[in-house]
Amino acid sequence: MLPDELRQALLTHGISACDEVALRQTLETYVPTYTLIRLAPWPARRWKCRYRLLMRDQIYDAQSVAEAYARGLLAVLEGRYQPEPETQQPLTTQDE
């Protein structure tokens, strides 16, 4: 279950589905790569969170998977996270 402030923030952006799968699918439309980590018991006690969502150089702590996805999604929607443009550098060969 998401905290009320997260639900309200998502609603202001037009997102009413707050289950884990819907939030993950919505996040994946904006972010090409992320890492979700379930913390072991001792770091969870130390950092007071059970999950960590890593998106590039930003970390979002949460008590549930749905909350982690919601925090990452809000960062994207509020402009606090900008994914890298998907550009590939051409391969170059060096002749010696």
Side-chain angles (χ1 to χ4, degrees):
M1 179 129 190
L2 292 178
D4 288 336
E5 68 271 3
L6 279 179
R7 282 185 181 275
Q8 292 301 319
L10 289 171
L11 281 174
T12 61
H13 292 285
I15 299 172
S16 59
C18 292
D19 62 290
E20 178 183 330
V21 175
L23 290 169
R24 177 182 50 82
Q25 290 173 341
T26 306
L27 178 65
E28 288 175 351
T29 62
Y30 294 100
V31 181
T33 304
Y34 63 87
T35 302
L36 180 68
I37 299 172
R38 180 174 182 222
L39 298 173
W42 70 266
R45 284 190 302 272
R46 179 177 181 196
W47 292 315
K48 296 178 179 50
C49 63
R50 296 177 61 202
Y51 295 91
R52 279 202 157 165
L53 180 71
L54 310 173
M55 295 183 343
R56 254 183 41 204
D57 60 345
Q58 297 178 353
I59 299 173
Y60 302 97
D61 293 340
Q63 294 300 321
S64 69
V65 174
E67 182 183 348
Y69 291 145
R71 291 193 185 281
L73 185 57
L74 278 176
V76 171
L77 295 172
E78 293 174 351
R80 292 179 281 135
Y81 172 82
Q82 295 294 322
E84 291 182 16
E86 294 185 27
T87 58
Q88 282 188 323
Q89 298 295 328
L91 296 174
T92 58
T93 58
Q94 295 179 349
D95 295 333
E96 293 186 26

